[in-house]
Amino acid sequence: MSINRNKKSICVDLKKGQHVIKQMASQCDVLVENFSYGVMEKLGLDYENIKKVNPNIVYASVNGFGYAGNQKKEPGFDLIA
């Protein structure tokens, strides 16, 4: 709570609430995600789909092991980050 003072937050079931994320993305400047490789694409929330609702958005995608190589599908969290 002390880190996120004065910030609003919501919880969204990403399997059912993609429309909520797209609505928020249509009104924001930056979207940052750190899911494993391919998750956002499966959900329809990858850059190609998000730029359809906001062509000027900055889409930052952070992955623990990058997007190429044999470890790209490995999750990255805690000490790796």
Side-chain angles (χ1 to χ4, degrees):
M1 292 296 271
S2 66
I3 296 172
N4 291 317
R5 290 184 302 218
N6 297 322
K7 295 181 180 155
K8 296 179 183 179
S9 63
I10 64 169
C11 292
V12 178
D13 180 341
L14 293 179
K15 293 182 179 177
K16 298 177 184 175
Q18 294 96 341
H19 64 284
V20 175
I21 302 301
K22 288 179 180 178
Q23 180 184 13
M24 291 173 60
S26 73
Q27 300 172 25
C28 71
D29 298 318
V30 179
L31 183 149
V32 179
E33 65 91 359
N34 69 333
F35 289 100
S36 297
Y37 177 84
V39 170
M40 292 298 271
E41 186 174 0
K42 286 179 191 174
L43 294 169
L45 299 172
D46 57 316
Y47 176 69
E48 295 302 321
N49 284 301
I50 294 297
K51 78 175 183 178
K52 291 176 185 174
V53 298
N54 184 348
N56 296 318
I57 197 162
V58 174
Y59 190 102
S61 184
V62 182
N63 181 301
F65 294 98
Y67 293 93
N70 61 354
Q71 289 185 305
K72 70 181 180 183
K73 293 185 179 181
E74 297 294 323
F77 50 90
D78 292 336
L79 296 176
I80 294 170

